[in-house]
Amino acid sequence: MLRQDPSGIAPERALVFETVVSITRFQNAAANAGFELLIEDPLGDDYDIPEEMVDDYVDAASPTLYATMPSTSDLQRLLSLWRSYQAQEDAERGLAPWWTLFSMLSDIRVWGPQDRLTPEVRAELAYRLNQGDDQPLRLELEIWPTANATLRRRWLRDSRAKIEALGGRILASSEIDETDFVYQAVLAEMPADAVREMLANPMAPEGVANLDGLQFILPQMVAQSLPDDSDAAQPLEDALESFSEDAPIRAVLLDGTPIAGHPALNNGVVIEDVHDLVRLSQVEHRRHATAMASLILRGDLQADGDPVPDARLLSIPILIDDAHGASSPNDRLFVDLVHVALARAFLGEDALAPEAHLVNFSVGIRQGHFAGRIGSLARLLDWWSERHGILFMVAAGNVSDDLNVAGTTFTAFDDADQTERRRLVESAQKESRQFRTLMAPGEAMNVLTVGASSQDLSAPRIGPPTGSIILNDADDPYPAVSSAIGLGAFRSIKPDFIAPAGEHELRASSSADGVRLRVVDRTQRSGLNVATVQRGAANTYKTRGTSCANALSSRSALFSLAALTDADGPFAEQPLSPRDKALLTKALCVNASSWPTAAVEKFTAEFAPNPRRHAQAREEVCRYYGHGLLNDQRMREAPAQGATLVGLGTLRKDRAAIFDVPLPPSLSGERIGRSMVVTVAWFTPIRVTRARYRLAALDAVPHGYDLFGEFTEDDGWALAMKSGQLDANLIKRGTVWSRRLTHSNPIVPNFTTDLRLPVRVQCRDSSGGGLSPDDDIRFALAISMELEAETNYDIREELETALRVGVRQEG
């Protein structure tokens, strides 16, 4: 089997294929030769890499595939055929398809040192060597994931012996052996000379890279939150009511240490020092976690300030705060640190937050940009989501590097109008996007990844200073230039959506080939107003970034849960499990997101030059916007001229559930524009030992029967509407399926008052055999209907009167 991810390869039978053609062409040749190329979803017939991007794509995406052979003899036979091809021998009878396949390859080899040291890792280690002179370097060695404990013990023993023989030492080790999740790694400190020798000669028999059973060598995973250098602060303008000590803990914050006694947070935050890190964080530096807690519990203190109803926040510090920001301990494996924190929060009779369903994760991995491989931290969060029903809200990450805009001059850029400036910036982002990808663990499949919209929630008191560049308009939100961009694993939609993150100001300066843009950090003119401490006093200040967007989104999720479960909510009389709460809020987050005007204009600009590339044009917009800008109000309430319906269900492989949704009687016979959004959210089981990592895929399809009882498919969902911004292939790659339907030229729908709209949610195995027919896949469904104009009737009231959602299982 050919795979794109090495995680599922048996190490003793692992082969590496390096291609010189596109994945699509190689897929066809592999099929002719009898190999199955395992990718999450087949590429469309019209999908191709634009010619002007071929070299960049090859360099950045590393078109390398991995194969696991049924036996060692099969591996040797394939290598023998490859050598015959290289020797220019003629193909034997029946082997011509293999020769065609070989013509598309630059190399076939057994998994080895060059695969354990990826180009991205080699570059990062070389950079750290240059920065640290002859200081020792800390490396993480990950073994192949296997449930065989005997093999893991042997690899650990051999790793220790090899590291010590080279003058290094093991600082920490971790073994996580859970059902469907295995992780084992060591944190080693190595002499600088030994690392230089490893990079110069990775094939050396005595080197670490040649260690049997080793999967990857990585720089130490260091989690961080960026420092905020602003020295300006303001006192709280209004006294704030304390949170109730009796309120349940609804969410968990994994970050640094917040100032729990700050007047904006008083009684709202419970700190549990699971890792004994609080004593290492001086109070005057506890800014990032305090800001996150402030945004989750109070929102922007100038624009909002209202407390999240009936909720408190559990904080488990995983970072150490200092004058340079916050970072994870340098003597621990970060994956282990997170796993222990989550276990303490959610597992056991003395769990710290048994009622919580949401984890805010607004920290990123230093230099941990997504390069195609799902990292161990992302896999851990995916496993926790599915196994324990936890919704992780993850910041997409901030890119601190300046953006170089080529092909213009400082004067021309300064004189350009907003449309032209945006065009130049977007072109520059596209040229450098391999360096601006999602920050780990934002590539995880089961999480919600949140990007940043350059947008304040309260108007700045003064205008921007001379020379500042602001790409967003007051009524037209725009992605922050510093926000990391997608797509995610298996080309899934990432970020899932964007949210307000404070207005970002830019400063331009001349560069050798154009203009260099830098985000202004030290400004208190704009941003989101949050709690902080300065010079020992409780104050507020303004900040910005994807962390802020993520915290505000977590707040919206908690408010939506309150709306679902309060006295007037649909689940007022029904107890919800943490998993159900997590899935409902996950579905509502995406359901309440839509492309703003700037996103639609970007799609038009991408689509116009070549209408055949509509799929690529949509992907390009999703890299920045995902499903769109989160509408906080729609998380809490139904549309003003519409209604939102929610439901829950459980499916197994190749099964379906049909939700009978009533149609508003007043729509019958009315010529009025309307729209509908259908969203399904789930947590997929994962298998880290399989290349096709996502096991379960769900979607919703129109479903109905005609007068004679025959099945009929209605692409308009019985409302004669057409699909909106995202096509069917794009929305099916992740763990949220969301389709927007609109009707701008309405016909007059005629139906009886008891007509139901059947929505069929179905589950399929997306892994080629990994999903068990006994696996229960819990899901949430959200459906929003909205009219374009005010009417004299209330379709929400009509639906509430008629709603008796029936669910029937299909075999």
Side-chain angles (χ1 to χ4, degrees):
M1 297 291 188
L2 288 180
R3 308 166 188 261
Q4 285 184 293
D5 187 327
S7 301
I9 309 304
E12 69 277 8
R13 304 191 307 275
L15 281 180
V16 181
F17 291 69
E18 291 187 357
T19 74
V20 294
V21 298
S22 69
I23 296 296
T24 309
R25 287 181 58 194
F26 191 75
Q27 177 187 10
N28 296 332
N32 290 335
F35 258 10
E36 180 189 2
L37 180 62
L38 296 184
I39 58 176
E40 189 70 12
D41 286 301
L43 301 178
D45 293 337
D46 65 337
Y47 191 91
D48 195 11
I49 303 167
E51 290 297 327
E52 66 274 12
M53 290 180 55
V54 168
D55 291 338
D56 287 343
Y57 180 91
V58 170
D59 291 340
S62 299
T64 302
L65 301 171
Y66 309 90
T68 185
M69 304 303 294
S71 67
T72 303
S73 60
D74 290 323
L75 181 146
Q76 295 301 329
R77 171 61 173 159
L78 183 56
L79 289 176
S80 175
L81 291 177
W82 171 246
R83 287 191 291 269
S84 296
Y85 170 81
Q86 287 184 306
Q88 299 184 347
E89 297 177 8
D90 293 334
E92 297 179 13
R93 184 178 179 84
L95 295 179
W98 284 102
W99 259 238
T100 301
L101 183 72
F102 292 157
S103 69
M104 300 180 179
L105 298 171
S106 60
D107 193 18
I108 301 178
R109 64 175 186 278
V110 177
W111 179 269
Q114 61 267 58
D115 306 296
R116 295 163 182 153
L117 280 166
T118 66
E120 295 82 12
V121 167
R122 293 172 66 89
E124 176 61 19
L125 290 178
Y127 172 79
R128 295 189 185 189
L129 282 170
N130 291 335
Q131 296 296 308
D133 296 325
D134 288 326
Q135 294 297 314
L137 262 70
R138 296 188 175 185
L139 309 176
E140 293 187 14
L141 278 61
E142 286 188 19
I143 69 169
W144 290 88
T146 175
N148 189 321
T150 301
L151 282 178
R152 296 202 305 269
R153 285 193 296 270
R154 189 189 74 194
W155 289 335
L156 180 60
R157 182 184 66 246
D158 292 347
S159 297
R160 183 181 300 275
K162 180 75 71 174
I163 289 166
E164 291 177 352
L166 293 170
R169 61 187 179 122
I170 291 181
L171 301 176
S173 63
S174 173
E175 180 181 34
I176 303 174
D177 186 4
E178 303 279 3
T179 302
D180 297 329
F181 183 84
V182 175
Y183 166 84
Q184 185 150 354
V186 298
L187 174 62
E189 186 176 73
M190 299 292 295
D193 287 343
V195 178
R196 288 192 184 94
E197 177 61 25
M198 178 182 69
L199 296 178
N201 189 16
M203 303 296 293
E206 69 279 4
V208 174
N210 219 14
L211 185 66
D212 286 342
L214 182 63
Q215 186 180 20
F216 290 113
I217 299 174
L218 303 165
Q220 181 184 9
M221 186 185 299
V222 178
Q224 65 178 12
S225 64
L226 296 179
D228 192 311
D229 298 326
S230 174
D231 57 1
Q234 298 292 329
L236 275 170
E237 294 184 354
D238 300 305
L240 298 173
E241 182 182 352
S242 295
F243 290 84
S244 170
E245 293 182 352
D246 297 325
I249 291 175
R250 303 286 190 191
V252 177
L253 174 67
L254 296 183
D255 206 294
T257 302
I259 304 169
H262 193 287
L265 307 180
N266 201 15
N267 293 336
V269 179
V270 177
I271 300 175
E272 290 290 346
D273 194 11
V274 171
H275 297 299
D276 191 27
L277 300 180
V278 172
R279 62 183 177 85
L280 303 176
S281 297
Q282 296 181 357
V283 173
E284 62 265 29
H285 300 316
R286 298 178 185 178
R287 305 188 75 173
H288 190 266
T290 302
M292 296 304 101
S294 175
L295 286 168
I296 294 169
L297 293 175
R298 297 279 188 184
D300 184 303
L301 292 173
Q302 285 185 347
D304 191 351
D306 291 338
V308 172
D310 193 32
R312 289 187 299 156
L313 185 65
L314 171 68
S315 167
I316 300 181
I318 56 173
L319 305 181
I320 300 170
D321 302 277
D322 60 28
H324 305 291
S327 58
S328 54
N330 64 3
D331 59 350
R332 302 283 296 274
L333 286 159
F334 188 65
V335 170
D336 186 77
L337 202 75
V338 172
H339 182 67
V340 170
L342 293 172
R344 189 70 185 88
F346 296 108
L347 303 184
E349 294 182 359
D350 60 344
L352 298 172
E355 296 184 60
H357 70 283
L358 184 151
V359 174
N360 181 276
F361 199 95
S362 293
V363 302
I365 303 304
R366 184 180 301 163
Q367 299 303 319
H369 289 285
F370 178 57
R373 184 180 75 90
I374 301 178
S376 53
L377 179 58
R379 296 198 301 270
L380 177 74
L381 300 192
D382 279 338
W383 178 83
W384 265 95
S385 290
E386 190 278 328
R387 179 63 55 175
H388 299 291
I390 308 299
L391 174 60
F392 290 91
M393 306 285 286
V394 177
N398 302 305
V399 181
S400 58
D401 296 341
D402 294 350
L403 180 67
N404 189 60
V405 182
T408 187
T409 64
F410 176 85
T411 301
F413 188 85
D414 190 52
D415 290 341
D417 60 19
Q418 189 77 302
T419 300
E420 177 62 10
R421 281 181 176 176
R422 286 182 178 182
R423 186 192 67 80
L424 290 168
V425 166
E426 290 168 7
S427 177
Q429 288 176 306
K430 184 182 295 187
E431 288 295 321
S432 62
R433 69 182 177 201
Q434 65 266 37
F435 307 112
R436 310 179 74 85
T437 56
L438 298 171
M439 195 73 72
E443 77 273 19
M445 297 289 289
N446 280 329
V447 311
L448 285 179
T449 305
V450 184
S453 168
S454 176
Q455 181 182 5
D456 278 347
L457 296 181
S458 58
R461 293 172 178 172
I462 59 174
T466 302
S468 287
I469 296 167
I470 298 174
L471 293 176
N472 59 286
D473 298 325
D475 57 348
D476 185 16
Y478 194 74
V481 169
S482 61
S483 184
I485 59 177
L487 301 166
F490 307 107
R491 294 169 42 246
S492 59
I493 295 177
K494 292 286 179 177
D496 291 274
F497 54 87
I498 62 175
E503 187 175 80
H504 285 55
E505 298 177 17
L506 304 172
R507 288 294 178 91
S509 60
S510 297
S511 66
D513 57 347
V515 174
R516 188 170 298 277
L517 294 179
R518 172 170 297 176
V519 176
V520 178
D521 292 322
R522 297 174 63 97
T523 176
Q524 290 295 291
R525 186 197 70 84
S526 61
L528 303 177
N529 197 255
V530 300
T532 190
V533 64
Q534 192 173 79
R535 300 181 184 90
N539 290 304
T540 69
Y541 78 127
K542 291 190 174 183
T543 186
R544 59 204 59 79
T546 58
S547 294
C548 299
N550 191 41
L552 284 178
S553 301
S554 298
R555 173 178 172 82
S556 296
L558 292 175
F559 263 100
S560 71
L561 175 65
L564 290 170
T565 56
D566 67 17
D568 297 323
F571 295 98
E573 305 298 328
Q574 303 179 43
L576 291 173
S577 69
R579 182 182 297 271
D580 287 346
K581 295 174 185 176
L583 289 170
L584 283 166
T585 50
K586 181 178 182 179
L588 286 171
C589 277
V590 174
N591 197 73
S593 302
S594 60
W595 283 3
T597 301
V600 177
E601 291 175 348
K602 181 175 177 61
F603 170 72
T604 301
E606 294 283 343
F607 176 73
N610 191 342
R612 290 186 64 252
R613 297 188 183 276
H614 59 87
Q616 292 93 315
R618 288 187 171 92
E619 282 189 352
E620 189 63 27
V621 179
C622 286
R623 291 180 190 276
Y624 302 87
Y625 292 90
H627 288 275
L629 177 69
L630 178 66
N631 185 325
D632 173 73
Q633 198 65 27
R634 289 205 178 187
M635 286 286 294
R636 310 184 193 192
E637 302 176 1
Q641 299 296 322
T644 296
L645 313 178
V646 293
L648 292 159
T650 303
L651 287 174
R652 290 187 174 183
K653 176 181 176 180
D654 299 328
R655 297 293 184 95
I658 302 173
F659 289 74
D660 289 324
V661 181
L663 288 175
S666 57
L667 276 183
S668 180
E670 287 288 332
R671 185 182 297 274
I672 186 170
R674 54 199 173 274
S675 64
M676 180 170 68
V677 184
V678 181
T679 303
V680 182
W682 69 101
F683 295 136
T684 179
I686 64 162
R687 298 291 185 273
V688 298
T689 54
R690 295 185 68 89
R692 295 182 76 175
Y693 171 85
R694 182 190 72 158
L695 303 191
L698 275 66
D699 57 16
V701 296
H703 186 94
Y705 294 86
D706 62 21
L707 294 176
F708 303 98
E710 296 294 327
F711 171 75
T712 178
E713 183 172 340
D714 178 4
D715 287 334
W717 298 83
L719 292 175
M721 296 190 290
K722 62 182 180 180
S723 183
Q725 297 152 349
L726 303 180
D727 62 26
N729 188 52
L730 182 56
I731 62 179
K732 69 181 182 180
R733 300 171 186 167
T735 58
V736 180
W737 184 100
S738 187
R739 189 177 183 188
R740 179 175 298 274
L741 300 166
T742 60
H743 193 12
S744 57
N745 297 303
I747 62 171
V748 180
N750 289 291
F751 48 82
T752 60
T753 57
D754 59 351
L755 181 67
R756 304 282 169 158
L757 174 65
V759 177
R760 183 175 188 265
V761 180
Q762 57 192 15
C763 175
R764 62 183 173 87
D765 182 350
S766 63
S767 66
L771 183 63
S772 167
D774 297 326
D775 284 345
D776 288 327
I777 310 300
R778 190 71 168 164
F779 69 91
L781 173 69
I783 300 175
S784 291
M785 298 180 182
E786 185 175 13
L787 305 181
E788 289 184 356
E790 289 190 24
T791 62
N792 293 325
Y793 41 81
D794 187 344
I795 69 171
R796 190 183 320 170
E797 183 177 340
E798 291 180 357
L799 290 176
E800 288 178 354
T801 301
L803 187 58
R804 297 292 184 270
V805 177
V807 183
R808 56 184 187 269
Q809 297 291 329
E810 240 188 315

